[in-house]
Amino acid sequence: MRKRSQLGAVFALMGAATASLPATIPLRANQLGVPIEQLTPAVPSLFFGLFLGIGLTPFISKSLTTTNHVRISIAMQTHGVLGIGVLNSQQLFIASSLIIGLGFGQLEVLITSIARVESAQVGNLLTRLGIYLAASAFLTPIAIIGFDLLEASHYINIAIAVVSIYVGGVFQTDQIYPQSKNFLVLKLANRKVYLLLLTTAFYVGAETILAGWSAVLFSENISKNLVSAPLGTSIFWAGMTLGRVVGTFTSSKNFSTKASAILWSSGLSLSLALLSQINEGGSRGAFLFLLVLAIFFAGPCYGFIIGLAVILYEESLAIKSATLFVLVGALGGVLIPALAQIFLGSESKDVTLGAAVAAALSTVFLIVSFREKESTAPQS
């Protein structure tokens, strides 16, 4: 396999792994004979693993070659995927989700680092690689439905594992040294940076609820047929991809980055606020429309926020500052869904309200950040 093909294959595996978790929550809850709410803690568990994986990667890389580190991370992600598909315990399901996140987080740092070395136009390469992830994440829930109709839903997990073994076995790359001590950039931060960190945490928290509860929201509010529940996850990835494409086009043609960020973030907040007010048993069409609309508006928000944050630092600190925001985002993905379940409840209507509150706070912090002067931008 050529190097870029290998990178694309790894990104595709990452998409399949992360999509397989939310897509299977309703099905696995039914198979295990437990309420759906007992498996939804797997969502913040996944992001806690992601947070740990990103943070630990620079330290683990000191004692491993990059090739072996990628292979071990793929194996770790694979064990998690198998766990959520075949283990007969809600506790093991949640633990397996953490293992998926741990492998995913390491792969995200490693493959991004390899891409920076592989191409001078790293942004374009990562965008192309992102297509593999999005396409795989879109198709995996559909495959789950197909296997479930054959009464063999766990075979999709086995299929992902088989492909992972092959990709890991043939993967080869040059040695890469990821940068560590990303939190040191906080010493150079001004108030605007801290506001954007809060913006990131609350945004990712809202997006995590949309992604993690995608199949649950679909099964409880649109179709009561559990077989079709994974379609909710496919809808999520289709809406996110469309939002990113449209957001990129409009920001480059008609709006400034500032106007685009506020427009899309406000759209997400409003859509989620309206969605959270639809009572159980309400119009399925209205719920589906607002859900898709919220996902669509969520699509480009993360890219806009990270872009606004990175330009506050000198070019030499761009990598470290971006990694810091990714880490804080992952932390938001852990805390916001967990807090929503603790204080509001575990039902889909409860966590949807939590997502609406998080999105609103994200928008507020974003708008306030624009009032801060940029003349005090952090310097090295």
PDB file of all heavy atoms in Angstrom, residues 190-195 312 365-376:
ATOM      1  N   ASN A 190      -4.187  34.872  26.236  1.00  0.00           N
ATOM      2  CA  ASN A 190      -4.878  36.054  26.732  1.00  0.00           C
ATOM      3  C   ASN A 190      -6.348  35.708  26.955  1.00  0.00           C
ATOM      4  O   ASN A 190      -6.753  34.551  26.813  1.00  0.00           O
ATOM      5  CB  ASN A 190      -4.721  37.230  25.757  1.00  0.00           C
ATOM      6  CG  ASN A 190      -5.270  36.887  24.377  1.00  0.00           C
ATOM      7  OD1 ASN A 190      -6.042  35.943  24.203  1.00  0.00           O
ATOM      8  ND2 ASN A 190      -4.858  37.651  23.387  1.00  0.00           N
ATOM      9  N   ARG A 191      -7.134  36.682  27.317  1.00  0.00           N
ATOM     10  CA  ARG A 191      -8.529  36.418  27.649  1.00  0.00           C
ATOM     11  C   ARG A 191      -9.307  35.868  26.448  1.00  0.00           C
ATOM     12  O   ARG A 191     -10.187  35.016  26.596  1.00  0.00           O
ATOM     13  CB  ARG A 191      -9.186  37.708  28.147  1.00  0.00           C
ATOM     14  CG  ARG A 191     -10.598  37.502  28.682  1.00  0.00           C
ATOM     15  CD  ARG A 191     -11.183  38.790  29.216  1.00  0.00           C
ATOM     16  NE  ARG A 191     -12.554  38.606  29.633  1.00  0.00           N
ATOM     17  CZ  ARG A 191     -13.343  39.578  30.047  1.00  0.00           C
ATOM     18  NH1 ARG A 191     -12.877  40.820  30.104  1.00  0.00           N
ATOM     19  NH2 ARG A 191     -14.582  39.345  30.404  1.00  0.00           N
ATOM     20  N   LYS A 192      -8.982  36.333  25.261  1.00  0.00           N
ATOM     21  CA  LYS A 192      -9.669  35.861  24.058  1.00  0.00           C
ATOM     22  C   LYS A 192      -9.456  34.360  23.867  1.00  0.00           C
ATOM     23  O   LYS A 192     -10.374  33.630  23.491  1.00  0.00           O
ATOM     24  CB  LYS A 192      -9.164  36.625  22.837  1.00  0.00           C
ATOM     25  CG  LYS A 192      -9.933  36.344  21.542  1.00  0.00           C
ATOM     26  CD  LYS A 192      -9.363  37.160  20.407  1.00  0.00           C
ATOM     27  CE  LYS A 192     -10.133  36.938  19.113  1.00  0.00           C
ATOM     28  NZ  LYS A 192     -11.460  37.581  19.145  1.00  0.00           N
ATOM     29  N   VAL A 193      -8.238  33.904  24.136  1.00  0.00           N
ATOM     30  CA  VAL A 193      -7.941  32.479  24.008  1.00  0.00           C
ATOM     31  C   VAL A 193      -8.784  31.669  24.981  1.00  0.00           C
ATOM     32  O   VAL A 193      -9.359  30.629  24.622  1.00  0.00           O
ATOM     33  CB  VAL A 193      -6.435  32.210  24.245  1.00  0.00           C
ATOM     34  CG1 VAL A 193      -6.166  30.714  24.350  1.00  0.00           C
ATOM     35  CG2 VAL A 193      -5.610  32.828  23.131  1.00  0.00           C
ATOM     36  N   TYR A 194      -8.878  32.129  26.226  1.00  0.00           N
ATOM     37  CA  TYR A 194      -9.668  31.400  27.223  1.00  0.00           C
ATOM     38  C   TYR A 194     -11.149  31.357  26.843  1.00  0.00           C
ATOM     39  O   TYR A 194     -11.828  30.346  27.052  1.00  0.00           O
ATOM     40  CB  TYR A 194      -9.501  32.029  28.599  1.00  0.00           C
ATOM     41  CG  TYR A 194      -8.157  31.743  29.224  1.00  0.00           C
ATOM     42  CD1 TYR A 194      -7.223  32.757  29.422  1.00  0.00           C
ATOM     43  CD2 TYR A 194      -7.811  30.443  29.602  1.00  0.00           C
ATOM     44  CE1 TYR A 194      -5.978  32.486  29.994  1.00  0.00           C
ATOM     45  CE2 TYR A 194      -6.581  30.168  30.170  1.00  0.00           C
ATOM     46  CZ  TYR A 194      -5.666  31.194  30.365  1.00  0.00           C
ATOM     47  OH  TYR A 194      -4.447  30.916  30.919  1.00  0.00           O
ATOM     48  N   LEU A 195     -11.649  32.442  26.272  1.00  0.00           N
ATOM     49  CA  LEU A 195     -13.036  32.443  25.826  1.00  0.00           C
ATOM     50  C   LEU A 195     -13.257  31.443  24.699  1.00  0.00           C
ATOM     51  O   LEU A 195     -14.275  30.743  24.659  1.00  0.00           O
ATOM     52  CB  LEU A 195     -13.430  33.857  25.362  1.00  0.00           C
ATOM     53  CG  LEU A 195     -13.618  34.890  26.473  1.00  0.00           C
ATOM     54  CD1 LEU A 195     -13.719  36.294  25.888  1.00  0.00           C
ATOM     55  CD2 LEU A 195     -14.852  34.570  27.313  1.00  0.00           C
ATOM     56  N   LEU A 312      -4.397  33.319  16.622  1.00  0.00           N
ATOM     57  CA  LEU A 312      -4.000  34.159  17.740  1.00  0.00           C
ATOM     58  C   LEU A 312      -2.567  33.877  18.183  1.00  0.00           C
ATOM     59  O   LEU A 312      -2.007  34.617  18.985  1.00  0.00           O
ATOM     60  CB  LEU A 312      -4.947  33.946  18.930  1.00  0.00           C
ATOM     61  CG  LEU A 312      -6.416  34.329  18.696  1.00  0.00           C
ATOM     62  CD1 LEU A 312      -7.242  34.001  19.929  1.00  0.00           C
ATOM     63  CD2 LEU A 312      -6.541  35.806  18.354  1.00  0.00           C
ATOM     64  N   PHE A 365     -20.002  32.651  24.407  1.00  0.00           N
ATOM     65  CA  PHE A 365     -18.560  32.826  24.588  1.00  0.00           C
ATOM     66  C   PHE A 365     -17.881  33.227  23.277  1.00  0.00           C
ATOM     67  O   PHE A 365     -16.928  34.012  23.281  1.00  0.00           O
ATOM     68  CB  PHE A 365     -17.928  31.541  25.137  1.00  0.00           C
ATOM     69  CG  PHE A 365     -18.221  31.301  26.588  1.00  0.00           C
ATOM     70  CD1 PHE A 365     -18.862  30.145  27.004  1.00  0.00           C
ATOM     71  CD2 PHE A 365     -17.863  32.237  27.547  1.00  0.00           C
ATOM     72  CE1 PHE A 365     -19.140  29.922  28.349  1.00  0.00           C
ATOM     73  CE2 PHE A 365     -18.131  32.031  28.900  1.00  0.00           C
ATOM     74  CZ  PHE A 365     -18.766  30.869  29.293  1.00  0.00           C
ATOM     75  N   LEU A 366     -18.374  32.698  22.163  1.00  0.00           N
ATOM     76  CA  LEU A 366     -17.811  33.059  20.857  1.00  0.00           C
ATOM     77  C   LEU A 366     -18.026  34.538  20.568  1.00  0.00           C
ATOM     78  O   LEU A 366     -17.095  35.256  20.163  1.00  0.00           O
ATOM     79  CB  LEU A 366     -18.461  32.210  19.763  1.00  0.00           C
ATOM     80  CG  LEU A 366     -18.032  32.512  18.321  1.00  0.00           C
ATOM     81  CD1 LEU A 366     -16.557  32.180  18.113  1.00  0.00           C
ATOM     82  CD2 LEU A 366     -18.900  31.722  17.337  1.00  0.00           C
ATOM     83  N   ILE A 367     -19.250  35.017  20.778  1.00  0.00           N
ATOM     84  CA  ILE A 367     -19.562  36.422  20.503  1.00  0.00           C
ATOM     85  C   ILE A 367     -18.762  37.345  21.420  1.00  0.00           C
ATOM     86  O   ILE A 367     -18.209  38.364  20.983  1.00  0.00           O
ATOM     87  CB  ILE A 367     -21.078  36.666  20.662  1.00  0.00           C
ATOM     88  CG1 ILE A 367     -21.847  35.926  19.561  1.00  0.00           C
ATOM     89  CG2 ILE A 367     -21.392  38.164  20.613  1.00  0.00           C
ATOM     90  CD1 ILE A 367     -23.357  35.963  19.735  1.00  0.00           C
ATOM     91  N   VAL A 368     -18.671  36.981  22.701  1.00  0.00           N
ATOM     92  CA  VAL A 368     -17.915  37.793  23.656  1.00  0.00           C
ATOM     93  C   VAL A 368     -16.437  37.839  23.276  1.00  0.00           C
ATOM     94  O   VAL A 368     -15.768  38.867  23.441  1.00  0.00           O
ATOM     95  CB  VAL A 368     -18.085  37.245  25.086  1.00  0.00           C
ATOM     96  CG1 VAL A 368     -17.166  37.974  26.056  1.00  0.00           C
ATOM     97  CG2 VAL A 368     -19.540  37.387  25.535  1.00  0.00           C
ATOM     98  N   SER A 369     -15.931  36.739  22.730  1.00  0.00           N
ATOM     99  CA  SER A 369     -14.502  36.693  22.366  1.00  0.00           C
ATOM    100  C   SER A 369     -14.156  37.722  21.302  1.00  0.00           C
ATOM    101  O   SER A 369     -13.030  38.226  21.257  1.00  0.00           O
ATOM    102  CB  SER A 369     -14.124  35.297  21.872  1.00  0.00           C
ATOM    103  OG  SER A 369     -14.632  35.041  20.575  1.00  0.00           O
ATOM    104  N   PHE A 370     -15.104  38.051  20.444  1.00  0.00           N
ATOM    105  CA  PHE A 370     -14.840  39.028  19.389  1.00  0.00           C
ATOM    106  C   PHE A 370     -14.718  40.449  19.938  1.00  0.00           C
ATOM    107  O   PHE A 370     -14.237  41.345  19.240  1.00  0.00           O
ATOM    108  CB  PHE A 370     -15.938  38.979  18.319  1.00  0.00           C
ATOM    109  CG  PHE A 370     -15.840  37.780  17.424  1.00  0.00           C
ATOM    110  CD1 PHE A 370     -16.870  36.860  17.358  1.00  0.00           C
ATOM    111  CD2 PHE A 370     -14.713  37.562  16.648  1.00  0.00           C
ATOM    112  CE1 PHE A 370     -16.793  35.752  16.538  1.00  0.00           C
ATOM    113  CE2 PHE A 370     -14.619  36.457  15.828  1.00  0.00           C
ATOM    114  CZ  PHE A 370     -15.660  35.552  15.768  1.00  0.00           C
ATOM    115  N   ARG A 371     -15.168  40.653  21.162  1.00  0.00           N
ATOM    116  CA  ARG A 371     -15.059  41.980  21.771  1.00  0.00           C
ATOM    117  C   ARG A 371     -13.681  42.218  22.371  1.00  0.00           C
ATOM    118  O   ARG A 371     -13.351  43.336  22.744  1.00  0.00           O
ATOM    119  CB  ARG A 371     -16.128  42.144  22.854  1.00  0.00           C
ATOM    120  CG  ARG A 371     -17.567  42.070  22.310  1.00  0.00           C
ATOM    121  CD  ARG A 371     -18.580  42.242  23.424  1.00  0.00           C
ATOM    122  NE  ARG A 371     -19.944  42.206  22.919  1.00  0.00           N
ATOM    123  CZ  ARG A 371     -21.024  42.309  23.666  1.00  0.00           C
ATOM    124  NH1 ARG A 371     -20.893  42.468  24.993  1.00  0.00           N
ATOM    125  NH2 ARG A 371     -22.231  42.256  23.127  1.00  0.00           N
ATOM    126  N   GLU A 372     -12.910  41.125  22.495  1.00  0.00           N
ATOM    127  CA  GLU A 372     -11.560  41.244  23.039  1.00  0.00           C
ATOM    128  C   GLU A 372     -10.601  41.712  21.961  1.00  0.00           C
ATOM    129  O   GLU A 372     -10.657  41.260  20.808  1.00  0.00           O
ATOM    130  CB  GLU A 372     -11.091  39.897  23.598  1.00  0.00           C
ATOM    131  CG  GLU A 372     -11.900  39.403  24.771  1.00  0.00           C
ATOM    132  CD  GLU A 372     -11.808  40.324  25.964  1.00  0.00           C
ATOM    133  OE1 GLU A 372     -10.683  40.779  26.262  1.00  0.00           O
ATOM    134  OE2 GLU A 372     -12.842  40.580  26.597  1.00  0.00           O
ATOM    135  N   LYS A 373      -9.683  42.589  22.318  1.00  0.00           N
ATOM    136  CA  LYS A 373      -8.715  43.073  21.360  1.00  0.00           C
ATOM    137  C   LYS A 373      -7.698  41.986  21.021  1.00  0.00           C
ATOM    138  O   LYS A 373      -7.299  41.223  21.885  1.00  0.00           O
ATOM    139  CB  LYS A 373      -7.976  44.307  21.932  1.00  0.00           C
ATOM    140  CG  LYS A 373      -8.863  45.510  22.148  1.00  0.00           C
ATOM    141  CD  LYS A 373      -8.068  46.692  22.683  1.00  0.00           C
ATOM    142  CE  LYS A 373      -8.951  47.910  22.884  1.00  0.00           C
ATOM    143  NZ  LYS A 373      -8.175  49.078  23.413  1.00  0.00           N
ATOM    144  N   GLU A 374      -7.293  41.936  19.758  1.00  0.00           N
ATOM    145  CA  GLU A 374      -6.351  40.916  19.332  1.00  0.00           C
ATOM    146  C   GLU A 374      -4.921  41.422  19.334  1.00  0.00           C
ATOM    147  O   GLU A 374      -4.006  40.707  18.967  1.00  0.00           O
ATOM    148  CB  GLU A 374      -6.715  40.416  17.929  1.00  0.00           C
ATOM    149  CG  GLU A 374      -8.089  39.756  17.880  1.00  0.00           C
ATOM    150  CD  GLU A 374      -8.389  39.124  16.535  1.00  0.00           C
ATOM    151  OE1 GLU A 374      -7.415  38.940  15.756  1.00  0.00           O
ATOM    152  OE2 GLU A 374      -9.553  38.822  16.249  1.00  0.00           O
ATOM    153  N   SER A 375      -4.700  42.637  19.760  1.00  0.00           N
ATOM    154  CA  SER A 375      -3.349  43.196  19.767  1.00  0.00           C
ATOM    155  C   SER A 375      -2.461  42.551  20.808  1.00  0.00           C
ATOM    156  O   SER A 375      -1.245  42.678  20.776  1.00  0.00           O
ATOM    157  CB  SER A 375      -3.403  44.712  20.030  1.00  0.00           C
ATOM    158  OG  SER A 375      -4.056  44.977  21.259  1.00  0.00           O
ATOM    159  N   THR A 376      -3.094  41.845  21.746  1.00  0.00           N
ATOM    160  CA  THR A 376      -2.321  41.159  22.801  1.00  0.00           C
ATOM    161  C   THR A 376      -2.149  39.689  22.490  1.00  0.00           C
ATOM    162  O   THR A 376      -2.055  38.854  23.359  1.00  0.00           O
ATOM    163  CB  THR A 376      -3.029  41.323  24.141  1.00  0.00           C
ATOM    164  OG1 THR A 376      -4.357  40.808  24.046  1.00  0.00           O
ATOM    165  CG2 THR A 376      -3.057  42.750  24.598  1.00  0.00           C
TER     166      THR A 376
END
